[in-house]
């Protein structure tokens, strides 16, 4: 079956521009997570959705970062006024929704801010 | 201090060797412990999942949790070149939905 997909796979942008990253979770998965993976930093939790609501936004690094999820499915992570330190791989994962349910990760979007 | 500490390696072993990967953590509230494998340019995939302390075995893989020492391990027996990847530990508390990941250990198994 189809796994988690993310687009674009690569994004190169100029400092100061806005970017949108998209995640299509596995059908039927109610929980959706966004992470950031930087070299030597591991996976950094950004935000968690249960359905369309985001009960935990504690990981968003600044107010330039926002995310939404519509129809309990597709999610978009938006970074406004990108900075060079935003360069990283942005990973999305989805799960059935229970705390112990396995998270299935997408391949990530590699963002490079010049 | 980071919530989860993991030696980034790199670790290089000959085929057939036993590999030991480890993480330490500081939060005694962690109850769920996971190991993920990540191949280059791919997302992580779950390998092992353990609740609380003890051992769990799955084929060539064994996960160990020592909560008294705040220390978890993943052992790979009879390592294969296809095991070459980055291994990340992750853990979480019983409540909340935030998962804390280590930085990952890069493993290369040489044929």
């Amino acid at each position: 079956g189809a796994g988690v997909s993310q687009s674009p796979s690569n994004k190169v942008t100029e400092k100061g521009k806005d970017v949108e990253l998209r995640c299509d979770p596995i059908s039927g998965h109610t929980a959706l997570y966004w992470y950031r993976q930087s070299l030597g930093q591991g996976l950094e939790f950004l935000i968690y959705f249960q359905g369309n609501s985001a009960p935990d936004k504690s990981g968003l690094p600044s107010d330039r970062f926002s995310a939404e999820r519509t129809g309990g499915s597709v999610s978009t992570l938006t970074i406004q006024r990108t900075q060079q330190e935003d360069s990283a791989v942005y990973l999305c994962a989805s799960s059935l929704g229970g705390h112990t349910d396995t998270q299935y990760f997408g391949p990530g979007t590699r963002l490079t801010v010049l | 201090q980071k919530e989860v500490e993991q030696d980034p390696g790199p670790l290089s072993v000959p085929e057939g060797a036993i590999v030991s990967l480890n993480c330490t953590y500081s939060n005694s509230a962690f109850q769920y412990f996971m190991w993920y494998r990540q191949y280059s340019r791919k997302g992580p995939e779950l390998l092992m999942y353990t609740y609380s302390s003890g051992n769990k075995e799955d084929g060539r893989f064994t996960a160990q949790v020592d909560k008294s020492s705040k220390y978890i391990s993943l052992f790979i027996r009879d390592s294969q070149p296809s095991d070459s990847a980055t291994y990340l530990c992750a853990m979480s508390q019983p409540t909340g939905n935030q998962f804390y990941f280590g930085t990952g250990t890069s493993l290369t198994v040489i044929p």
Side-chain angles (χ1 to χ4, degrees), chain A residues 24-92:
Chain A
D24 282 89
I26 293 172
S27 178
H29 280 192
T30 61
L32 187 146
Y33 304 79
W34 282 100
Y35 295 90
R36 178 167 69 176
Q37 187 172 33
S38 306
L39 197 62
Q41 297 297 314
L43 265 70
E44 176 189 2
F45 169 83
L46 296 179
I47 190 170
Y48 155 72
F49 286 92
Q50 181 63 253
N52 289 338
S53 64
D56 191 347
K57 302 180 182 180
S58 63
L60 294 176
S62 76
D63 58 8
R64 296 187 296 105
F65 287 73
S66 63
E68 64 175 15
R69 188 179 185 195
T70 54
S73 182
V74 172
S75 176
T76 303
L77 177 69
T78 301
I79 309 173
Q80 296 178 308
R81 305 180 302 281
T82 52
Q83 304 294 311
Q84 288 185 330
E85 61 262 29
D86 299 333
S87 297
V89 176
Y90 290 82
L91 289 158
C92 171

Side-chain angles (χ1 to χ4, degrees), chain B residues 39-100:
Chain B
Y39 291 114
S40 181
R41 303 278 177 161
K42 303 285 187 183
E45 57 178 335
L46 183 67
L47 266 183
M48 301 284 286
Y49 185 104
T50 310
Y51 172 71
S52 195
S53 283
N55 294 359
K56 186 174 183 179
E57 189 173 318
D58 184 2
R60 296 184 295 110
F61 298 89
T62 300
Q64 282 186 355
V65 175
D66 182 349
K67 291 193 67 184
S68 62
S69 301
K70 297 191 182 68
Y71 188 88
I72 70 170
S73 301
L74 177 70
F75 297 96
I76 307 174
R77 291 184 300 281
D78 186 26
S79 55
Q80 302 295 308
S82 58
D83 296 330
S84 298
T86 296
Y87 290 79
L88 301 110
C89 62
M91 43 201 82
S92 69
Q93 300 179 47
T95 57
N97 285 84
Q98 190 159 152
F99 291 76
Y100 298 85

